[in-house]
Amino acid sequence: MTQDAPSFGFDTLQIHAGARPDPATGARQVPIYQTTAYVFRDAEHAAALFNLQEVGYIYSRLTNPTVAALQERVAVLEGGAGAVCCSSGHAAQIMALFPLMAPGCNVVVSTRLYGGSITQFSQTIKRFGWSAKFVDTDDLAAVEAAIDDDTRAVFCESIANPGGYITDIDALAKIADKAGLPLIVDNTSATPYLCRPIEHGATLVVHSMTKFLTGNGTVTGGVVVDSGNFDWSASDKFPSLSAPEPAYHGLKFHETFGPLAFTFHGIAVGLRDLGMTLNPQAAHYTLMGIETLSLRMARHVENAEKIASWLEGHAAVEGVTYAGLESSPYKERASRICPKGAGGLFTVALKGGYDACVKFVDSLEIFSHVANLGDTRSLVIHSASTTHRQLTEEQQIAAGAAPNVVRISIGIEDADDLIADLDQALNKASA
Ligand SMILES: *Cc1c(COP(=O)(O)O)cnc(C)c1O
C-alpha cells in the first residue's frame, strides 16, 4: 500500500502504509533488514544509483528497506510527500534546518518548546553560525516583526511540551507563507492521529518517534516529513534545494525531484554527510508501535481528560494546564487544531512549590519519574530540576516549567488506579 491509496482510513493506514509482503520470502511483517550494504546488479546499476538516476539501496547510512517502510508510513499518516527518518528527534530538527540554513541565517521559534529543543536552538546551533529568535507565538505581530531577511524558517510545536498549550498553526502558516518561508511543526506530542499540521499549512513536520509514535519507551528515533508543497525555487533563499549541487555533478534537487526535493536532499546529502541515520531494529519497533497508534492515543486522551479534571479539584493543586479542560484558554483552539483531543501531556502546579513537587514525584508508585513522555506507562518529571534545569527561571516560566510545576505524561493504564496513586502522593507532598 502506498501514498496512492489516500482513501483508506487512519486505522488501516497505520497498519498497512509502507508495508507489503516481503518480495523474497512473503514475510507478512516488515523484516528487519539487518544489512549494511546491497549487492549491485552490475557496474552500470551501481553508477546509476550513485548518480541518483535510479532509486535503490546502496548503503544503510542512506537507505534501508525497514527504515524506508517506516518513512513511507509516517509520510502517509501525516499527509506528506515523503519523509526521512533520523536517529532521534533532535537529529530530525537539525536535518530539517540543515538544507534551509547557512551561516548568518536564523530561525524564528516559539518560546514554548521541549526543554532540550530550547537548548539546541539557543546554544548549540550557534556553532554552525545559525541562530534562533524566540517569540511568543500567541503574539502574531511579534512573530511577523521577528522575521528578517536572514530568516529561513519558523518553528513551533503543535501541542507544546510540557503540555497545555496549543499553537495556532494556521495563523503561523499564514505569516510564514507571506514571508516566503517554510513553517516547521514539531508534532511529537500530538502525533498525526490528533493533529495533521500539513492540513493547517505546515511545510515540514518533525517528530521525536521516541515518544508516542513508538509508544512504549524502547527506542530513540526521529523523522522529518515534507508536505511537498513549498516552492524552494521561488526565491534565492534556499540554494541547497534550488541551485546546482556540486557533489552531484550540478544536479538541482528541486528542479529534478519536484515535491520530493527535500526528501531526496535529506537522504542524498543530509544522511550521507551528517550520518544521523535510524537503524533498522529501531525502525521495526516504531513500525510495530504505529500499528496501534490510534487506539493508544484515544486512550491517552480519555485518561488525561479524566485525570486532569480530577486534579483540578484537588486541594493541593494550584492549577492544571490541559488544553482539553473547560477552564483552558486553549480549549477552542484545541478543538480546531486537534479535534480528537488535546493529547496525554499536561502540567500541574502545586501550592507547596518546589519542595512539594520533589516530594510528590518521589512518592508516586505507578508513575515513573523519568525524562521521557508518550509511553504506555504513566510518567512524571519535575522539569525545573531536570529537563529545564539548564534554563534561567525566566525561560523556565516561559516554557511552562516553573519551579512549582510537574509535567505528567498520562499512560494507558486504568484511570482509577492512576488517580489513586496521584491522590496518595499529593497527600504526602502536602502533609
Ligand atoms: C523528546 C522531544 C524531542 C527530542 O527528541 P529525542 O528523540 O529525545 O531526540 C523534541 N521535541 C519534543 C516535543 C520532544 O518531546
Side-chain angles (χ1 to χ4, degrees):
M1 182 180 293
T2 68
Q3 280 130 294
D4 305 333
S7 56
F8 288 106
F10 192 95
D11 290 3
T12 305
L13 292 171
Q14 72 185 356
I15 294 168
H16 292 286
R20 47 192 73 73
D22 181 48
T25 62
R28 178 64 274 209
Q29 188 49 278
V30 178
I32 304 169
Y33 286 90
Q34 197 69 47
T35 183
T36 309
Y38 307 84
V39 178
F40 304 122
R41 287 197 303 271
D42 51 33
E44 201 181 325
H45 176 223
L49 291 174
F50 275 93
N51 279 340
L52 299 183
Q53 286 157 341
E54 189 177 329
V55 177
Y57 299 103
I58 300 175
Y59 187 66
S60 283
R61 177 164 17 89
L62 306 170
T63 45
N64 171 283
T66 314
V67 176
L70 175 58
Q71 285 170 167
E72 189 175 332
R73 185 167 304 174
V74 180
V76 167
L77 293 178
E78 286 287 4
V84 184
C85 284
C86 323
S87 52
S88 71
H90 269 4
Q93 291 173 188
I94 296 297
M95 286 280 291
L97 291 175
F98 175 67
L100 314 179
M101 303 284 276
C105 291
N106 69 70
V107 52
V108 170
V109 304
S110 171
T111 46
R112 296 181 187 83
L113 294 183
Y114 171 69
S117 300
I118 293 177
T119 309
Q120 186 186 49
F121 289 144
S122 64
Q123 307 298 329
T124 304
I125 65 169
K126 285 189 202 156
R127 309 286 177 92
F128 306 140
W130 310 345
S131 62
K133 294 180 166 190
F134 287 88
V135 288
D136 176 351
T137 44
D138 275 350
D139 185 348
L140 297 176
V143 177
E144 267 193 290
I147 293 172
D148 63 27
D149 288 344
D150 296 321
T151 304
R152 292 294 178 270
V154 178
F155 186 102
C156 68
E157 293 179 4
S158 48
I159 298 178
N161 192 326
Y165 175 84
I166 310 284
T167 304
D168 190 344
I169 301 172
D170 303 86
L172 285 191
K174 228 177 252 170
I175 292 172
D177 210 40
K178 202 173 125 200
L181 298 174
L183 173 67
I184 308 172
V185 177
D186 180 341
N187 200 30
T188 299
S189 305
T191 81
Y193 179 69
L194 298 179
C195 174
R196 305 216 324 157
I198 291 170
E199 290 173 0
H200 297 278
T203 301
L204 303 174
V205 177
V206 295
H207 277 278
S208 167
M209 299 194 296
T210 314
K211 315 292 169 52
F212 291 104
L213 287 183
T214 303
N216 50 37
T218 47
V219 304
T220 57
V223 65
V224 188
V225 181
D226 178 23
S227 62
N229 294 335
F230 196 84
D231 183 357
W232 304 109
S233 307
S235 73
D236 58 4
K237 287 184 175 169
F238 306 104
S240 295
L241 296 162
S242 62
E245 167 64 41
Y248 283 108
H249 311 301
L251 173 142
K252 294 180 183 173
F253 277 89
H254 190 210
E255 189 183 281
T256 308
F257 300 113
L260 285 170
F262 191 94
T263 302
F264 271 82
H265 188 276
I267 292 166
V269 179
L271 291 182
R272 184 195 64 186
D273 296 342
L274 301 177
M276 302 166 167
T277 306
L278 187 73
N279 68 75
Q281 186 91 33
H284 167 75
Y285 285 128
T286 304
L287 281 165
M288 301 270 277
I290 291 176
E291 291 187 355
T292 57
L293 182 65
S294 64
L295 308 178
R296 288 185 288 108
M297 293 314 293
R299 181 61 172 265
H300 282 295
V301 166
E302 184 190 326
N303 279 358
E305 285 175 353
K306 196 165 171 185
I307 293 165
S309 41
W310 175 83
L311 276 168
E312 221 179 13
H314 197 284
V317 170
E318 189 181 287
V320 180
T321 61
Y322 182 56
L325 286 171
E326 288 302 326
S327 59
S328 168
Y330 298 105
K331 172 86 176 139
E332 178 281 325
R333 202 181 278 177
S335 64
R336 181 160 54 83
I337 304 284
C338 38
K340 292 200 192 95
L345 198 65
F346 58 82
T347 65
V348 53
L350 300 190
K351 288 179 184 157
Y354 187 99
D355 294 340
C357 289
V358 170
K359 205 157 177 200
F360 172 62
V361 297
D362 279 345
S363 304
L364 286 162
E365 285 164 12
I366 298 176
F367 286 78
S368 305
H369 186 201
V370 299
N372 193 17
L373 61 96
D375 196 326
T376 48
R377 276 152 281 272
S378 290
L379 310 173
V380 68
I381 196 159
H382 183 219
S383 304
S385 61
T386 55
T387 51
H388 289 58
R389 194 182 178 85
Q390 310 302 332
L391 309 184
T392 64
E393 189 167 330
E394 193 186 10
Q395 282 176 316
Q396 287 175 348
I397 292 166
N404 69 329
V405 166
V406 173
R407 184 188 76 195
I408 297 184
S409 175
I410 296 294
I412 59 174
E413 303 101 326
D414 287 292
D416 291 343
D417 292 339
L418 298 177
I419 287 174
D421 192 29
L422 291 165
D423 194 36
Q424 63 80 21
L426 281 172
N427 293 339
K428 278 184 192 147
S430 54

